[in-house]
Amino acid sequence: MPENDHAHPRRTIPQDGDFTANPPAPFVELGLATCFSFLRGASDAVDIATTAWAQGYDQLGCADVNSFAGVVRHYTHTKEVNIRPITGTRIALITGETFLAYPRDRAAYGQLCALISKGRTRDRDGAWQAKGVCDLTLNDVAEHTANSILIAIPPRAISRFAKRLPALIKRLPQLNHIAASLHYTGRDTARINRLDALADAHKLKLLATNDVLYHAPERRALQDVMTCIREKKTIHTAGRLLQPNAERHLKSPTEMVRLFSRWPHA
């Protein structure tokens, strides 16, 4: 058990498949990627679902990068462990902006599917892009997300994001939240305070996420290898392309509440 999950002892995974439903949790993770996020997510839905149940989750989001490919397994396996699945996607634009998108209804889900298909087939002949490529612009997002909840994911350096935010809000009235994650660099408090102030100034809400890439810390090594393959580097030359630590694992609701105790509204 990870040391920082001491506040919520893990439940033992039942061998008979009797996963009793958890009570409502004080936090829901929405920034989770599965192995269907091409060369990014390092855990399958089975491991994610059983870990989430053991940690006390009653609901869990799934947001793979420019894809809904992982939601079928996510839906199946979270249901098996009595967790309510929440279906979303992570939209990454060619200009660098990134959003979590969660549809409010079936029509909105269809619009997001059309958006992703547009990005993956965009060339002069209408052929599919190379695997992992999705050519999407801000206008594309504006035209396909009218009834979805959008959550902006700021980059590590947020100065450009702060300057760009008014234009994003004007173009995307459905943008409701700014995501905040701990980076464990020693500057987290100042960074999240700035994001919180930005959200407040623009009448948005701050939303906590651990930006999850795998279900347990020991998967960090696999995620590093996947990053090297994606970036065409070796472990010895990848440098800052790799995650700086093994903290991008699924953390319990209790632990996330503790980590964001300075920002309980998140």
Side-chain angles (χ1 to χ4, degrees), residues 18-19 45 49 85 93 109 134-135 139 156 172 188 200 228 239 252:
D18 183 19
F19 290 90
L93 308 187
Y109 175 81
C134 193
D135 186 347
N139 284 338
R156 284 184 176 271
L172 301 170
D188 283 327
D200 187 60
C228 291
S252 73

Side-chain angles (χ1 to χ4, degrees), residues 68 84-89 100-113 144-151 172-177 203-205 207:
F68 279 115
R84 178 192 166 208
I86 307 176
T87 296
T89 183
L100 297 177
Y102 279 87
R104 295 180 183 272
D105 53 31
R106 187 170 181 173
Y109 175 81
Q111 285 187 320
L112 286 172
C113 289
H144 291 82
T145 58
N147 202 28
S148 292
I149 296 171
L150 290 185
I151 304 159
L172 301 170
Q174 60 274 41
L175 178 59
N176 308 106
H177 300 78
K203 296 181 171 56
L204 303 177
K205 297 177 181 179
L207 184 138

Side-chain angles (χ1 to χ4, degrees), residues 108-188:
Y109 175 81
Q111 285 187 320
L112 286 172
C113 289
L115 171 66
I116 294 167
S117 294
K118 182 177 185 180
R120 293 201 179 280
T121 59
R122 175 175 279 161
D123 71 9
R124 294 179 181 178
D125 301 319
W128 288 100
Q129 299 270 23
K131 188 171 180 63
V133 176
C134 193
D135 186 347
L136 291 173
T137 67
L138 185 61
N139 284 338
D140 294 328
V141 175
E143 293 168 2
H144 291 82
T145 58
N147 202 28
S148 292
I149 296 171
L150 290 185
I151 304 159
I153 303 179
R156 284 184 176 271
I158 61 177
S159 295
R160 182 179 179 274
F161 173 78
K163 293 178 181 178
R164 181 83 169 124
L165 187 57
L168 294 177
I169 294 170
K170 183 177 181 179
R171 193 70 183 91
L172 301 170
Q174 60 274 41
L175 178 59
N176 308 106
H177 300 78
I178 296 176
S181 299
L182 295 169
H183 293 162
Y184 303 92
T185 62
R187 296 178 234 168
D188 283 327

Side-chain angles (χ1 to χ4, degrees), residues 226-247:
M226 294 169 74
T227 299
C228 291
I229 295 171
R230 186 182 75 238
E231 301 293 341
K232 298 179 174 59
K233 302 284 185 179
T234 67
I235 287 289
H236 301 294
T237 61
R240 293 187 179 181
L241 293 172
L242 302 176
Q243 293 292 323
N245 50 53
E247 296 291 345

